[in-house]
Amino acid sequence: MPDIVYKEETEHSMAEVKEGYVEKIVYRGDNGYTVLTLSSEEEELYCVGTFAHVEEGEFLRVEGDLVFNPKYGEQLKVTAYQAVEPKDGQAMERYLASGAIKGVGAALAARIVKKFKEDTFRIIEEEPERLVEIKGISERIAGEIYRQFEEKREMRQAMIFLQKYGISNQLAVKIYQYYGERMYEIMRQNPYRLAEDIDGVGFKIADEIALQGGIAPDDDYRVKAALYYVLQQAVSNGHVYLPQEEVYQKATEIIRVPFENMERQLTQLALERSVVFKEEDEVKQVYIAGYYYLELDVARMLCDLNRRYDVAMRLIEHRLNQLEKELEIKLDELQRMAVSEAVQNGVFILTGGPGTGKTTTINTIIRFFESEGMDVLLAAPTGRAAKRMSETTGMEARTIHRMLELTRDPEAKVGGLEFARNESNPLESDVIIIDEMSMVDISLMHSLLKAITVGTRVIFVGDVNQLPSVGAGNVLKDMIASERFPVVTLNRIFRQSEESKIVLNAHKINAGENIPLDNNNADFFFLNRNDTQVIIPSIVYLVQKKIADYVKASPYEVQVLTPMKAGELGAENLNIALQEALNPSMPGKMEKDLGGGRIFREGDKVMQIKNNYQLEWEVRSRYGIPVEQGTGVFNGDCGIIREINLFAELMTVEFDEGRMVEYPFSGLDELVLAYAITIHKSQGSEYPAVVIPLLTGPRLLFNRNVLYTAVTRAKKCVTIVGSPDTVQMMISNVMELKRYSGLKRAIQEM
């Protein structure tokens, strides 16, 4: 926030009423606190206070205390304000030309006001059809001007109404855009709908609104909403179900109601088929119904695909010998076994750590099937993983979403995706190979299997020791633990990887062995630093200068990976320092200040933090002409901000494969800076070099699994900055966040 504060104010102050244009929004915080300049013919004045929803170009009447600050001069501490219509033609022209009404620029605004003079706003409100009298305005444009003019007024009223509940401006816009005028009725009758319908509105906000509206603390709907919210939060944290006692415990932390009332309402949710009960080892489990049936369906489809094919071992051995000569490779016993199992089974799982020959094995499997005249499809969960798969196999690999042909469906929500490929329109292939399976959650697995017909061989490849998927489920681990599918785990480190300390140390970490931090190698380094104020500038220097030059990559390709999102060495704080170093503010470079210290700037590296299946993207030619279009941007996708258009309130981001996406400013909460990201978000990605700050943090996040995942993200160089004791503690710490999932049991019961 800029240094605009009230210091050494004079005791003399008086209530003032001012009118003028919002010339510039200097600062806006998440809570609505705003610093702006108000401009009139007489003066330009700094105003500070809480504004629900004000944009540059709007005409305001403000009331407050006029104070004098020796450093900043006269300023108005605003106690009340309202948006009003400008009084004269010049004022009206300025408002229309300000960008408040999209599509009306300075020239068109001048023509409108010249025609209608001080009657302009009445004409727009009461006789908008007369706008067609002006050159350049069609009936459609006239209707759009009227709609926006009315919408601005209604939205301002909605912003002020929602501000009473402590709802941020961005969230208030979402609520109003989703419900429109129905918002007020919903807020009065059933505010818990907000938690169900609006991303970003959780139970707590809806509950606060409901309580302020007079709902009883033990109201049945409130209890049901709290119980369902607990289960939704569990899904967000990766669980497919929760033990019943844990549901009650977490709900009790949110609302204080008798146990009997909770038990009754949870039963009612089951009768309404919103939740499903399951019991195992005398523990009652509670599922959101949709996720229970997802697991059952996945188990059934996997078992249907899991059939044995009668292929003579003599033929397999003969073909393998031929392929070894053609590809000039030598497979070890486990690799040969993997190819054999892939050929003879409908479902096969290949696992192994870095440097164990998974790529060679996959390539041999592909060539084997191709030599038999069979079609092979390759896919991975993320664009980066698919790109790497293409590079290592020489074949096209796509994201699972693109392979399944995600289609635009404005009604679709998470868990109800629309894919063109499904049981009615299945994938046409003899063999499908999916890489980075540890990243695949239960919802995506369900959509994938629906598009695969019985008789197709499916090969799942992944490193079971990496972190589980961001989404709900524990798919790869549960499949292996069920012991119903053939699995080959590659464990031999091949000669070409033996000199890599990244590979050797990753395997040591996975085995629970301490790793040397002596820097006696070319690709694994450690800097002993025990002060965050020293660590942060060290990281900036390493990324900006040292490592980028060392691995011959751009600083943007050097990825900082941290276990935490918050804290001094968390992703949020590190991004502020890295943004300032790698992409500082400068004249001509547009930026959008989101408040709370968050700034997006043209050239910034950003990451999508949630799946958005409706976002449209296009790949453009060098002349800017769209050559390919599609929908869907997914959790973990990284890109670069190419343009920020303050007039149109749009930000354009270029993601992998040249996919250009336009974000409205109201949707920027789905993006974060990505110079530093959490280790969990790095799954499926590979970088020329990674920098990992490790000092202190929660034991649940500082564990072996997290460290192993971080180290295995690097191709050429790993640099750890922090405490050697923390590194060794993480290797010893096998405590992981437990995931509640039932796929293993469902497969076994099938």
Side-chain angles (χ1 to χ4, degrees), residues 50 76 80 83 107 109 154 186 222 259 263 309 361 396 441 452 459 508 512 529 543 599-600:
T50 300
L76 193 72
E154 291 167 0
I186 287 165
R222 181 174 187 246
F259 171 82
E263 190 173 33
Y309 293 93
T361 307
E396 180 191 13
D441 62 30
I452 300 176
I459 298 156
K508 284 188 174 184
R529 304 285 188 272
V543 172
I599 295 174
F600 284 142

Side-chain angles (χ1 to χ4, degrees), residues 473-544:
N474 222 356
V475 175
L476 182 62
K477 282 188 177 179
D478 279 355
M479 286 176 64
I480 294 171
S482 74
E483 299 182 345
R484 293 296 188 269
F485 309 107
V487 180
V488 171
T489 303
L490 303 178
N491 52 29
R492 174 189 164 193
I493 302 175
F494 282 84
R495 186 175 300 134
Q496 61 267 33
S497 299
E498 286 178 353
E499 294 181 5
S500 168
K501 288 295 181 183
I502 296 175
V503 172
L504 292 176
N505 285 343
H507 284 272
K508 284 188 174 184
I509 291 167
N510 194 36
E513 301 174 16
N514 286 345
I515 58 175
L517 302 174
D518 52 17
N519 296 326
N520 290 330
N521 59 86
D523 62 4
F524 199 103
F525 304 102
F526 176 77
L527 297 183
N528 193 340
R529 304 285 188 272
N530 289 290
D531 183 347
T532 56
Q533 300 308 310
V534 175
I535 291 174
I536 293 173
S538 296
I539 290 171
V540 171
Y541 174 70
L542 287 167
V543 172
Q544 190 174 24

